[in-house]
Structure formats: C-alpha cells, structure tokens
C-alpha cells in the first residue's frame, strides 16, 4: 500500500512502474474505442527486482529487453519472462545517474556495427540500438550486440554533471545545472543558453532533429545545429516539473496542475486540475500517462474527427491541418487530444479528470483584393472564383452573370490572383482534407499560380485534390513538365510519367532533359512495378549503360528489395553486356546473393 512511484515507462499496452522500494510492477491497460473505462490488469509484481530505488526504465521493443538504472548501475533484463531475469549488467556504468537510448530502424550507416536484425535485403528491418550513460562528468557511449552493450567510442568528458540528456541523430543535447550544450559524437561541443533563474534543465525530444529546452517558465525550440526552430517560445503559467510531447501538443506538468499547449500556432488548449503530478510520459499519439508519488493516470485523446471539428469551428485552420492525416488514413477511431481516463496504481484510490478545454481563436482571416472585396474564410470557394471570370471554364462563364464585375488587368489582376491563391491554400484546404465529399477548386488555384508564382505549383499538386484532366491541360499549356510528372506520380500514373520523361529527355530546353530523372523515378517504383521498370530501363541502359545499371544496384531501399533473379534474367535477355558489371556490383555488397544467383 505504501508504494512510492519513481519512474514510469510504457511499451505497447504494458505500463511499467518502478518504485522507491525497488519493486517493479507491470500493468496491462486495454481500452476499446467508445468505452468509458479502461481494463486494467496487474500482470507482474516483482518485489525483489532491486534493493534500491529504481531510478529509470526504458524498453527495446524489438528485442523484448528492459533497460533499468538502479543502485547507480545499468542492467538489461528479459521482459518476456515473468520475473524480468537479468541478461547483462553493464559493470562499467557503476556510478551512473542517467541514461538515454537511441533506437533506429532502417539502413545501417558507417557509425553502426553488425546487429542482430541486419537483413534488409529480405525485407526485414534492421535495428540499431545505442546508449549514452552519464557517470559523473563522463558520457559513456555503447551499442547493443550479441546480448550485451559494447563500447561505441571513447568517453566524452563535459564540464559538469549532466542532469538531463536527449539523443538526436549524431548529437547529444545535454542539460546541466544552469545551462545547455550540444555535443557531437565526434567530440565537438556547442554551448546554447542558460536555464534562467530556475537552474534545473528540462529537455523534451520532439523529433530526430528538434527538441524543447526549458528556461524558467518557457520552452524554447532548437535543432541539432543549435538554431531556433520557432520564432516564439511556449510560455507556461509556472515552471514545468516535466513535459511530454504528443504531436502537436506539449503537455506540461506544473505544481498546480497540467497544461496542454501547442507550438505552432502558439495556443493554450486545456487545463487539467490534477494535483501532485511529477511525471508525464507519452506512450503514443493520443495516449499519455501522468504519475505522482502514489498514483498513475491514463490520459486518452478524444476522437480525431471531433477534435478537428472543434478546431474548425474556432477558425483554427492551421492546427486542424496539422491534425489531419492523409485521406487514406482518415478514420473515426483515430484520436488526438482530449484526456479523460485514469487508472490507479495497485491498492490506491483512482481519480477522475474531466475535460474543460479552452480554445482561443485568432481573428478571422481576410484578404483584400483590388475590387475592395473582402474574401471571408467562410465564403463559398466557387463564389470567390467567380470574381475572376477568366479562370472559369468556357461553359461556366455563360451560366454566370459577370457584367457587374470590373475587368482586372496587369498589376491589379496579379494582386487579385495572389490573394485568391492564399485564400484557397490557407483557408479552404484544411476543410477539403477533412470533408472529402466537398470538392476543392485546386484546378483554378493551379491556373492562378501558373500566372503569378509558379514556385507554388508543385506543393499545390502534392495535395492530390486536383482534377486530373483539367490540371493536365493547364500544365501542358504552360509547359510545366516537371510539375506534370508530380501530377502523374501523385495519381499513380507512372507509365504516363515515364513516357513524358523519355519524350523530354532529348529536348534541349526542357527541364526534364537527360536520363537522370528517369533513373531516379525507376529506382523508387518498387518491386511491384518490375514490368514497368523493364519497359523503361531499356533506353537508358542502351544510351548510358553505367548510369542505367544503377536502376538495379543503387544503395536505396526500393532498389535493394527488387528481386535479383528477375533483374538478372532481364539483363541476360536484353542487355547481355551488362550482366558481368551487374554481378560485380552485387559482389561488393551482397556476395551471398551472387552465389545464389549463380
């Protein structure tokens, strides 16, 4: 009954709780969409995990390993066995006060070492695990191999004992009592700024390239090069004790409760009256856990559709767009930022948190056009477009009376079109992404940008809401061949794209001149388009055999996953002179596959 929570970590639906008494608890927390309560089960309770307080926990899911810091030494345990047996004790870490893991999935790089899951050619994802351990003023660096942590490089020595740390790619962000620094794995160090009057540092990793640093009652956003990523800091009502990031929300644990804020736009979203909370942990998007010394709360998000609907009503288009997934991912079961559900730790009373969100909308956006007409964000887009009759299809012009509108020319027309572009892209696009049955006039917007700022054409096409035939006609009229490739690619019309690339390859003034764009396109098609690759690789292989062969040998994921026997058979049939160079190129990186082919 007298459990004192020291740390919390979540892996899948399992919540691990480490206590001051050295006990380790594992709960399973299940939740069905629409249910009001969680199904909480205590799966394991190890009272002899440690004789000292459990300071920190982390999990390597791919290997079913639990990494713990207790009694100032790092240990690794098998999480798949009921009593969490010890796999290895990293003896060199004795005296440790902190550690951080860096887990990467994907292609291995020069700094990594052969690992257990390096089988990328068969489609299995490679996993690399690195660890940085703070031992006094030294940062020890390790990598995982053969069931133990091995030294990655010599220790890094810093000026003071780190009290917070985060690993972003090849950079360590380190917080000391009073200031922050960036350390490259090469050993170089860059000082950032002081922590302010509140000396304790706070580091929250936002992505592989960005993090939030605490300075008194503010969170300042930096990248791995030491540059600010946001113009304005997020300001809290008090100094946060802990911060978790649930994109796009920052959840701050304050002495008198919990605040939910957004970075861009910089908004106060919600306040939760939860007292004595010390820790916050984001398990996955829309699911967070809070912990005091005696209780743990589960905070689960509202359905994504309801969250976005509220934001649109409050004219928060930018934030609504951030929450909007691609159309193929839209689902009523997706979630994102209303927190209402709780579970207690063993034998402790539960607490219920209710929602009392507070949105603060900005002033409605308006754009001034030369006719002194204000374009409201609530206006029907087709009514707005009719202010510009020259953008309407010929058959539409006859059905609309435009005699009362002045004819815009020259600078006035350009300014009007720019205003229309901004209106369509900034205001209407979020609605279209959410309400797929409402058509967006991207075709007309494409006409606008072709006439004014053609740098906006490609981003507009990637929205993938345009009418194919109308947009295709517009791009051909303005000879926007590179943008036409983007249109075909987003629509899945790969053969048309490749035919255009081949046709334009010999045109001296074309932006698609040459073979390189065809090679790049074919390299990223993937194994499901092998016949298409064979159909269009031929002309490149004939004219530029050495570069054309990279279609089948380049060191990128899609090329690595191409079936080697089919590629060899194609070369044997159509390009026999390239068979030996092909096998030689494979022999350099994957000799065992060459033996299989032969």
């Amino acid at each position: 009954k007298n459990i004192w929570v020291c740390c919390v970590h979540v892996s899948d639906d399992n919540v691990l709780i480490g206590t001051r008494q050295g006990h380790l608890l594992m709960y399973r927390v299940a939740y069905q969409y629409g249910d009001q309560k969680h199904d909480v089960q205590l799966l394991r309770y190890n009272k002899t995990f440690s004789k000292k307080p459990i300071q920190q926990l982390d999990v390597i899911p791919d290997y079913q390993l639990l990494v713990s810091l207790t009694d100032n030494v790092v240990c690794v345990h098998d999480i798949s066995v009921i009593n969490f047996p010890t796999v290895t004790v990293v003896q060199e870490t004795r005296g440790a006060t902190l550690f951080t893991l860096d887990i990467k999935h994907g292609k291995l790089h020069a700094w990594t070492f052969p690992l257990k899951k390096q089988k990328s050619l068969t489609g299995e994802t490679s996993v690399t695990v690195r660890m940085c351990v703070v031992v006094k003023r030294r940062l020890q660096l390790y990598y995982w191999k053969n069931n133990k942590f091995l030294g990655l490089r010599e220790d890094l020595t810093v000026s003071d004992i780190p009290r917070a740390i985060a690993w972003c790619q090849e950079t360590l962000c380190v917080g000391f009592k009073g200031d922050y620094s960036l350390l490259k794995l090469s050993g170089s160090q860059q000082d950032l700024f002081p922590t302010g009057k509140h000396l304790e540092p706070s580091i929250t990793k936002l992505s592989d390239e960005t993090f939030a640093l605490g300075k008194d009652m503010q969170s300042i956003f930096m990248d791995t090069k030491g540059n600010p990523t946001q113009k304005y800091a997020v300001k809290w009502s008090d100094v946060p004790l802990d911060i978790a990031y649930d994109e796009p929300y920052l959840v701050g644990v304050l002495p008198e409760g919990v605040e939910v804020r957004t970075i861009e736009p910089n908004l106060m979203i919600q306040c939760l009256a939860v007292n004595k909370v010390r820790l916050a942990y984001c398990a996955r998007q829309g699911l967070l856990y809070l912990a005091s010394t005696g209780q743990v709360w589960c905070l689960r998000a509202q359905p994504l559709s309801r969250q976005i609907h509220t934001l649109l009503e409050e004219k928060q288009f930018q934030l609504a767009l951030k929450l909007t997934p691609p159309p193929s991912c839209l689902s009523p079961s997706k979630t994102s930022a209303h927190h209402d559900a709780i579970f207690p730790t063993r034998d402790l009373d539960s607490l219920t948190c209710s929602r009392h969100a507070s949105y603060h909308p900005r002033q409605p956006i308006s754009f001034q056009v030369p006719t002194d007409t204000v374009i409201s964000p609530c206006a029907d887009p087709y009514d707005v477009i009719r202010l510009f009759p020259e953008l309407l299809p010929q058959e539409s012009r006859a059905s609309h009376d435009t005699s009362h509108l002045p004819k815009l020319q020259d600078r006035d027309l350009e300014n009007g079109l720019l205003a229309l572009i901004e209106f369509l892209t900034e205001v209407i696009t979020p609605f279209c992404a959410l309400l797929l049955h409402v058509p967006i006039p991207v075709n007309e917007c494409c006409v606008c940008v072709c006439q004014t700022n053609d740098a906006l054409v490609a981003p507009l096409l990637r929205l993938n809401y345009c009418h194919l035939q109308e947009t295709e006609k517009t791009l051909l009229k303005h000879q926007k061949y590179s943008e036409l490739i983007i249109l075909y690619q987003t629509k899945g019309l790969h053969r048309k794209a490749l035919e255009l690339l081949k046709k334009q390859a010999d045109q001296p003034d074309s932006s698609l001149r040459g073979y390189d764009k065809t090679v790049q396109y074919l390299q990223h098609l993937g194994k499901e388009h092998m016949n298409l690759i064979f159909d269009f690789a031929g002309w490149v292989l004939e004219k530029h055999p050495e570069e054309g062969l990279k279609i089948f040998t380049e060191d990128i994921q899609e090329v690595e996953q191409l079936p080697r026997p089919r590629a060899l058979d194609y070369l044997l049939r159509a390009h026999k002179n390239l068979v030996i160079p092909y096998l030689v190129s494979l022999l350099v990186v994957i000799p065992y596959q060459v033996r299989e082919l032969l």
Side-chain angles (χ1 to χ4, degrees):
K1 289 187 176 182
N2 297 319
I3 288 175
W4 185 289
V5 177
C6 288
C7 57
V8 173
H9 188 83
V10 183
S11 178
D12 297 326
D13 290 331
N14 297 325
V15 181
L16 293 157
I17 300 173
T19 73
R20 188 170 64 177
Q21 295 85 350
H23 302 175
L24 181 62
L25 301 88
M26 177 188 281
Y27 285 94
R28 180 182 178 275
V29 183
Y31 174 87
Q32 295 295 326
Y33 176 72
D35 291 348
Q36 296 298 316
K37 294 183 179 181
H38 292 77
D39 178 20
V40 182
Q41 294 180 331
L42 180 58
L43 300 182
R44 305 181 201 171
Y45 186 9
N46 189 340
K47 291 185 178 182
T48 60
F49 185 80
S50 173
K51 296 180 180 179
K52 297 293 182 68
I54 301 175
Q55 300 159 262
Q56 190 177 346
L57 295 170
D58 209 333
V59 170
I60 308 174
D62 300 273
Y63 300 136
Q64 286 292 290
L65 295 174
L66 171 67
V67 183
S68 71
L69 175 61
T70 180
D71 199 13
N72 297 106
V73 65
V74 173
C75 300
V76 183
H77 312 266
D78 188 342
I79 202 172
S80 64
V81 181
I82 190 167
N83 288 324
F84 308 100
T86 301
V87 176
T88 183
V89 177
V90 190
Q91 297 290 351
E92 297 84 354
T93 65
R94 291 200 177 275
T97 54
L98 191 64
F99 74 86
T100 182
L101 296 180
D102 177 62
I103 303 173
K104 286 289 183 292
H105 298 79
K107 186 188 297 184
L108 300 177
H109 299 278
W111 46 256
T112 61
F113 297 81
L115 296 178
K116 188 175 178 180
K117 281 200 165 186
Q118 184 184 359
K119 295 183 180 179
S120 59
L121 291 173
T122 66
E124 185 176 355
T125 304
S126 59
V127 179
T128 62
V129 180
R130 298 184 292 179
M131 179 174 67
C132 177
V133 183
V134 175
V135 181
K136 297 183 179 178
R137 294 194 301 111
R138 290 182 295 115
L139 302 182
Q140 300 179 351
L141 302 173
Y142 299 90
Y143 70 99
W144 181 257
K145 183 182 178 182
N146 297 332
N147 282 334
K148 59 183 176 180
F149 276 111
L150 303 176
L152 180 62
R153 52 150 294 163
E154 64 274 12
D155 296 351
L156 299 174
T157 302
V158 291
S159 58
D160 198 359
I161 299 176
R163 303 174 74 91
I165 191 167
W167 197 323
C168 292
Q169 295 185 348
E170 302 311 290
T171 303
L172 291 165
C173 182
V174 183
F176 305 100
K177 192 170 184 178
D179 56 13
Y180 297 97
S181 291
L182 293 180
L183 273 76
K184 300 294 183 181
L185 296 192
S186 60
S188 62
Q189 181 171 338
Q190 177 185 355
D191 294 333
L192 295 180
F193 54 83
T195 60
K197 296 178 181 179
H198 183 76
L199 297 180
E200 285 298 323
S202 169
I203 303 175
T204 305
K205 184 176 177 179
L206 307 181
S207 71
D208 282 340
E209 297 180 349
T210 58
F211 37 81
L213 304 181
K215 184 175 183 180
D216 292 329
M217 296 165 60
Q218 302 180 80
S219 288
I220 299 172
F221 307 98
M222 309 290 290
D223 63 17
T224 54
K225 297 180 180 179
N227 301 317
T229 61
Q230 298 293 331
K231 186 175 181 180
Y232 301 105
V234 164
K235 296 183 179 180
W236 307 92
S237 60
D238 204 337
V239 178
L241 304 175
D242 197 11
I243 296 175
Y245 183 54
D246 179 18
E247 188 178 8
Y249 300 98
L250 277 179
V251 180
V253 175
L254 308 182
E256 300 299 325
V258 176
E259 289 182 359
V260 181
R261 295 178 178 268
T262 55
I263 301 173
E264 181 61 35
N266 197 327
L267 299 172
M268 171 64 175
I269 299 297
Q270 189 173 0
C271 292
L272 296 171
V274 188
N275 295 323
K276 300 181 180 180
V277 176
R278 297 169 49 251
L279 305 172
Y281 183 87
C282 181
R284 56 179 179 269
Q285 186 171 22
L287 179 63
L288 295 95
Y289 289 86
L290 306 177
S292 66
T293 58
Q295 287 182 298
V296 175
W297 295 265
C298 176
L299 280 69
R300 188 171 293 274
Q302 253 191 354
L304 183 61
S305 57
R306 191 184 311 170
Q307 187 72 205
I308 296 174
H309 178 74
T310 302
L311 289 169
L312 292 177
E313 286 182 341
E314 299 291 344
K315 305 297 188 294
Q316 293 297 343
F317 302 114
Q318 186 178 2
L319 186 54
L321 186 57
K322 286 179 181 288
L323 290 174
T324 305
S328 60
C329 299
L330 286 176
S331 166
S333 63
K334 300 291 183 181
T335 59
S336 192
H338 157 51
H339 313 288
D340 62 355
I342 295 93
F343 76 93
T345 54
R346 189 170 186 245
D347 294 328
L348 297 177
D349 294 332
S350 62
L351 173 68
T352 301
C353 297
S354 60
R355 177 184 188 237
H356 39 98
S358 176
Y359 294 93
H360 298 281
R362 295 178 179 176
Q363 293 298 317
I365 304 169
S366 64
F367 303 103
Q368 188 71 32
V369 297
T371 57
D372 293 329
T373 301
V374 175
I375 304 179
S376 164
C378 298
D380 187 318
Y382 295 102
D383 290 337
V384 176
I385 290 171
R386 283 199 293 270
L387 295 172
F388 305 87
E390 60 275 9
L391 299 181
L392 297 173
Q394 191 64 42
E395 60 273 14
S396 299
R397 299 182 194 181
S399 60
H400 298 293
D401 180 16
T402 60
S403 59
H404 63 288
L405 295 174
K407 185 173 179 58
L408 301 180
Q409 295 179 338
D410 303 328
R411 188 64 178 175
D412 282 347
L413 177 59
E414 182 177 347
N415 289 338
L417 291 174
L418 288 172
L420 180 59
I421 292 168
E422 194 169 3
F423 167 73
L424 292 174
T425 57
E426 293 292 335
V427 180
I428 303 303
T429 301
F431 282 101
C432 181
L434 303 171
L435 308 174
L436 298 180
H437 61 281
V438 178
I440 183 172
V442 173
N443 311 314
E444 288 80 356
C445 195
C446 192
V447 175
C448 296
V449 296
C450 283
Q451 295 184 31
T452 55
N453 185 358
D454 56 7
L456 297 174
V457 174
L460 187 65
L461 291 173
R462 290 190 177 97
L463 293 173
N464 199 19
Y465 296 125
C466 55
H467 187 275
L468 175 63
Q469 286 75 20
E470 290 292 330
T471 309
E472 182 182 40
K473 185 168 67 174
T474 299
L475 294 175
L476 285 171
K477 177 181 177 181
H478 292 273
Q479 297 184 344
K480 301 294 182 183
Y481 298 120
S482 295
E483 289 77 6
L484 194 54
I485 294 297
I486 295 174
L487 174 67
Y488 291 149
Q489 190 174 28
T490 56
K491 297 294 185 183
L493 301 175
H494 302 302
R495 182 171 292 276
K496 293 194 72 170
L498 290 163
E499 288 172 348
L500 179 61
L501 287 168
K502 183 178 180 181
K503 182 179 178 181
Q504 293 293 314
D506 297 325
Q507 301 300 317
D509 298 327
S510 175
S511 60
L512 302 179
R513 182 185 179 186
Y515 61 86
D516 55 321
K517 288 184 172 58
T518 296
V519 171
Q520 293 170 10
Y521 199 107
L522 292 173
Q523 286 173 337
H524 290 88
L525 276 179
K527 59 185 178 182
E528 62 270 19
H529 296 287
M530 286 299 291
N531 291 335
L532 197 59
I533 294 173
F534 294 152
D535 289 346
F536 286 91
W539 75 268
V540 183
L541 291 169
E542 290 173 3
K543 295 184 178 181
H544 310 278
E546 184 176 344
E547 294 300 316
L549 200 57
K550 292 182 180 179
I551 297 170
F552 304 102
T553 62
E554 191 73 355
D555 185 22
I556 60 177
Q557 184 176 356
E558 292 88 347
V559 174
E560 288 179 347
Q561 293 179 353
L562 294 179
R564 306 293 183 183
R566 288 194 64 187
L568 179 61
D569 180 67
Y570 166 74
L571 294 175
L572 285 169
R573 288 185 290 104
H575 303 278
K576 292 183 179 180
N577 60 315
L578 296 177
V579 170
I580 298 301
Y582 173 67
L583 293 175
V584 169
S585 67
L586 295 185
L587 194 60
V588 175
V589 291
I590 43 175
Y592 70 89
Q593 281 221 354
V594 175
R595 290 196 296 269
E596 290 179 0
L597 291 174
L598 296 176

